[in-house]
Amino acid sequence: MPKRSVIIGALLLAMFSGLMIKIYHLADSGLAQVADQQSTVTVTVATARGTIYDRNMQPLVNTGTQNRVSVAPYPVAVAALSEALAAEEFEALAARLQSGRPVTLTLDRLLAPTEGISQFSVPVRYGEDLAAPHLLGYLDGDELHGVTGIELAFDEYLNSKSGSIKVTYKVDGSGKPLQGIAPEIQNTLDEARAGVVLSIDREIQYITEQAAKKHIDRGAVVVLEPATGQVLAMVSLPDFQQDTLVDALEDERSPLLNRALCNYNCGSVFKIVSAAAALEAGVPLNESYTCKGSINVGGIPFHCHNRLGHGVMSMVSGFAQSCNPYFVHLMQNVGGEALYTMATNLSFDRPLLLAENYKTARAVLPSELELQSPAAVANLSFGQGSLLATPMHIAQMVAAVVNDGEVIQPSVVKGFVDKEGNLEASTVSPAQWAFSEQTARTLRNLMIETVENGTGSGGKPRTGGAGCKTGTAETGWENEDGSAVVQSWYAGFYPAEQPKYAIVVLAEDAEGTGSQSAPVFRQICDDLYTLALSRQTTGN
């Protein structure tokens, strides 16, 4: 006799034996009296945490589905499952059913209606190709609490918005479900429609992820809406998926690290700060300096990327060509105090709080005491030395240029929604002023010139133009082959006139200014243009 038949036979014999005893008991005591004495047992078939949405109320989690069933150990239910499951699966289920208690399991498909089998299509927390995995984060092994990201930052809130499916059975004195009595089903999964609404746009997030993955292996991209400070996309590479966490933990590239919130050497993108300090100090755009390939400060040479020198430079050409000696010269005249003040106005001395319990690393800025040294000022003038900041800090800086000097704190949460879809918007932090409207206008023109005729030409979009500052930041580290580890930045806004986006791209260990980051910026801008046309057509 096949093993499966033996198992089914044993289960049926046990069930029929229990049934005969029950019939005898009912005959002896009377049906009504036994009914009064019956107790119940409840099993939880499925649970769902509160949902996380994008800014357009598109769910980012709880999007997939699976078939969950609760099985009472009735002969007809056992027979139906024996046909639906593989041999090993059925043997494992049979072992659990022998206790006489109901059990729950996941099936690949729904079965025909069968007594003793209650089946449901329920949400799965993480589907395939989940967007913004670093921002969303992931749950612990029991799927009860968040470990990282928004899942951690709003763990208590998302758990408070949980729903479930519970099945309650009438049972006899031994705890076995009574056949012929339909179970009571309590389904509160709709409660989990409440949750957190993020600022990101799922379509823009997808555009950003695809552009980044095409051109860079490790790095980060941030797309910010300058007018509101809301983060429209946040990408960190390499990324991961929540169902492959074990592989991610063993990956030496550290894919679980959210690089958009980590500190990096800034390099020449910081020249935006230096230019702002100079302009606020009244330095004219035609301030002239002759670049000979290096400049000496306190006996220390500071080299230009053009070792032959740029020749005579103004602030316009010095910015567009990213001439280090020009900016060293500029800041020696303006002074470390003014540069420090401008940097702190732009938050380069603190972490950025993106949501409750969710923030960036704390940016590192030389102290005012350190900046009493002319050499320290020289280093900081073009973003080197002890300066460290996150891609989010750089995005906020670019947004301030777009916002006429107003600094709006970036945020990743738009609000909270109840199960009926009513949105309660998050409070907005008050804006601060970093520099004047005139300085902002001049900085935008300098950044546009950089795209049109400077180091940022490789990132110029097909349509609309853009403004940017590039940077190749030295880290002081070396690769195994002895080559220097540098970070490639492309920080800009799009389009050139009435910008709608601040976009910052960081490519880790990339060769040359913009070698990998510029194509990412360009592709994002081109795809944003196409997306805008599509939404105009569809009315979305």
Side-chain angles (χ1 to χ4, degrees):
M1 179 181 294
K3 189 174 183 180
R4 180 182 292 212
S5 299
V6 173
I7 294 173
I8 295 175
L11 278 171
L12 293 178
L13 179 60
M15 293 172 188
F16 282 129
S17 297
L19 181 61
M20 293 303 295
I21 294 172
K22 189 65 182 176
I23 291 172
Y24 175 81
H25 181 72
L26 289 173
D28 181 64
S29 304
L31 179 62
Q33 180 182 353
V34 173
D36 291 338
Q37 295 174 348
Q38 288 170 2
S39 59
T40 61
V41 63
T42 299
V43 296
T44 300
V45 180
T47 60
R49 246 163 87 99
T51 304
I52 303 173
Y53 298 90
D54 85 336
R55 68 188 295 109
N56 299 314
M57 291 303 300
Q58 297 299 308
L60 299 170
V61 297
N62 295 342
T63 55
T65 59
Q66 65 180 1
N67 302 316
R68 292 284 292 169
V69 300
S70 179
V71 183
Y74 302 159
V76 63
V78 174
L81 289 172
S82 72
E83 298 297 327
L85 299 176
E88 291 183 358
E89 293 176 306
F90 179 72
E91 290 175 19
L93 175 66
R96 296 167 60 195
L97 286 171
Q98 284 179 345
S99 68
R101 305 294 194 274
V103 300
T104 61
L105 69 153
T106 302
L107 294 179
D108 292 336
R109 59 184 177 84
L110 293 177
L111 305 177
T114 305
E115 184 182 13
I117 299 180
S118 301
Q119 48 191 339
F120 311 90
S121 179
V122 302
V124 176
R125 188 66 175 176
Y126 304 124
E128 295 182 359
D129 296 326
L130 190 71
H134 292 90
L135 175 58
L136 295 180
Y138 55 87
L139 301 177
D140 60 19
D142 297 324
E143 297 190 354
L144 296 176
H145 296 287
V147 177
T148 64
I150 296 300
E151 294 280 28
L152 172 61
F154 294 95
D155 182 59
E156 183 176 347
Y157 177 80
L158 291 169
N159 272 336
S160 73
K161 303 303 178 183
S162 293
S164 65
I165 294 178
K166 297 182 178 180
V167 180
T168 300
Y169 298 89
K170 292 285 188 179
V171 297
D172 62 18
S174 64
K176 296 180 179 179
L178 293 171
Q179 195 165 353
I181 302 177
E184 178 184 338
I185 297 171
Q186 182 184 25
N187 187 341
T188 61
L189 287 181
D190 279 353
E191 298 292 330
R193 291 181 178 176
V196 180
V197 181
L198 300 183
S199 62
I200 68 167
D201 183 311
R202 189 169 64 174
E203 290 183 283
I204 295 177
Q205 178 72 25
Y206 176 80
I207 283 171
T208 306
E209 288 177 355
Q210 294 305 303
K213 290 177 180 178
K214 181 177 180 180
H215 297 285
I216 64 179
D217 178 59
R218 289 179 298 173
V221 186
V222 174
V223 180
L224 199 66
E225 184 177 61
T228 63
Q230 293 183 353
V231 178
L232 301 177
M234 181 193 296
V235 174
S236 178
L237 292 179
D239 63 2
F240 68 96
Q241 289 295 298
Q242 280 74 356
D243 60 352
T244 60
L245 288 177
V246 174
D247 294 336
L249 286 169
E250 296 175 352
D251 192 332
E252 62 181 12
R253 300 176 303 160
S254 303
L256 297 181
L257 189 67
N258 188 348
R259 288 165 162 83
L261 309 183
C262 293
N263 275 336
Y264 289 90
N265 300 90
C266 297
S268 290
V269 290
F270 191 77
K271 288 173 182 171
I272 293 173
V273 181
S274 298
L279 292 167
E280 288 291 285
V283 178
L285 286 176
N286 62 2
E287 171 73 14
S288 178
Y289 173 77
T290 301
C291 171
K292 298 179 180 179
S294 68
I295 184 172
N296 191 293
V297 177
I300 301 173
F302 293 89
H303 296 284
C304 186
H305 66 88
N306 183 348
R307 293 304 177 95
L308 297 178
H310 285 107
V312 178
M313 306 291 283
S314 67
M315 194 184 306
V316 175
S317 57
F319 190 96
Q321 300 303 323
S322 202
C323 177
N324 291 344
Y326 182 88
F327 276 84
V328 172
H329 159 77
L330 203 61
M331 288 300 100
Q332 292 301 305
N333 292 332
V334 172
E337 183 178 351
L339 183 56
Y340 179 86
T341 299
M342 184 58 66
T344 56
N345 287 349
L346 290 164
S347 306
F348 280 91
D349 62 338
R350 71 202 75 160
L352 299 179
L353 185 64
L354 306 179
E356 183 180 358
N357 301 319
Y358 191 73
K359 61 185 178 181
T360 70
R362 183 187 185 92
V364 178
L365 182 68
S367 68
E368 290 181 276
L369 181 60
E370 290 178 81
L371 292 176
Q372 291 180 11
S373 163
V377 175
N379 248 337
L380 184 60
S381 68
F382 58 100
Q384 291 295 159
S386 60
L387 174 70
L388 297 170
T390 74
M392 194 65 68
H393 282 86
I394 304 302
Q396 179 185 253
M397 174 184 67
V398 173
V401 174
V402 172
N403 291 333
D404 291 333
E406 189 177 41
V407 180
I408 299 176
Q409 181 172 290
S411 63
V412 295
V413 173
K414 189 175 181 180
F416 303 88
V417 66
D418 62 22
K419 66 179 181 180
E420 281 80 29
N422 300 308
L423 178 69
E424 178 185 350
S426 296
T427 56
V428 179
S429 299
Q432 305 291 329
W433 289 97
F435 42 80
S436 69
E437 182 178 345
Q438 177 59 48
T439 291
R441 187 180 305 114
T442 302
L443 289 172
R444 288 197 297 272
N445 289 335
L446 291 176
M447 294 173 73
I448 292 171
E449 175 67 15
T450 302
V451 172
E452 294 296 325
N453 299 299
T455 59
S457 59
K460 183 178 179 178
R462 289 196 304 265
T463 305
C468 89
K469 184 69 196 77
T470 61
T472 302
E474 297 178 358
T475 65
W477 307 333
E478 290 186 352
N479 293 305
E480 292 181 0
D481 62 3
S483 60
V485 174
V486 297
Q487 319 293 11
S488 170
W489 291 90
Y490 197 105
F493 54 80
Y494 174 77
E497 301 299 325
Q498 299 181 335
K500 295 181 180 179
Y501 308 99
I503 304 169
V504 172
V505 183
L506 165 71
E508 280 192 19
D509 195 14
E511 296 179 1
T513 299
S515 61
Q516 294 177 359
S517 52
V520 177
F521 181 92
R522 182 179 63 245
Q523 182 175 330
I524 291 172
C525 294
D526 290 343
D527 289 345
L528 285 172
Y529 178 78
T530 302
L531 176 64
L533 291 179
S534 173
R535 288 179 170 178
Q536 288 175 6
T537 301
T538 60
N540 293 331

